[in-house]
Amino acid sequence: AQKKALDKAEAEFEHLVEKGDDGAVMEQVGRVEVARAELNKSRTMMLLRMRRALTTDQWAKFTALHQAAERDQAKQDERGK
């Protein structure tokens, strides 16, 4: 639900930018940032709960997998440019 709210806020932001209404754009920037902050808070809490549930070894493996996935995504993003 939070990701959907962020996507909607960003889509509206893009629409307002296209219209050229600077006042409305600035208002929408606030809405986008609030939605982004809420999503980040949820992600942080999810990671905290995961950290508490995993052993030290499991957390280390998870972290390594996550970092590898981020590197792979960055490489794909570079190829797409």
Side-chain angles (χ1 to χ4, degrees):
Q2 290 175 330
K3 175 69 168 113
K4 196 175 208 175
L6 176 58
D7 290 344
K8 182 179 177 184
E10 287 177 336
E12 179 62 18
F13 171 79
E14 292 297 329
H15 173 72
L16 292 171
V17 167
E18 292 296 321
K19 284 177 57 178
D21 183 349
D22 291 350
V25 167
M26 289 310 299
E27 286 179 25
Q28 191 63 22
V29 166
R31 291 186 194 102
V32 168
E33 290 306 317
V34 166
R36 186 173 289 140
E38 289 301 315
L39 186 61
N40 283 331
K41 283 185 218 175
S42 292
R43 180 180 176 276
T44 299
M45 292 308 298
M46 177 193 69
L47 290 172
L48 178 60
R49 287 190 299 274
M50 289 172 62
R51 176 66 187 100
R52 289 179 178 160
L54 299 175
T55 66
T56 302
D57 288 342
Q58 289 171 327
W59 181 252
K61 289 176 185 176
F62 171 78
T63 301
L65 288 170
H66 184 259
Q67 290 172 345
E70 285 183 329
R71 283 191 300 273
D72 289 347
Q73 184 63 47
K75 287 178 187 175
Q76 287 179 2
D77 290 348
E78 283 298 314
R79 288 184 203 136
K81 288 183 179 179

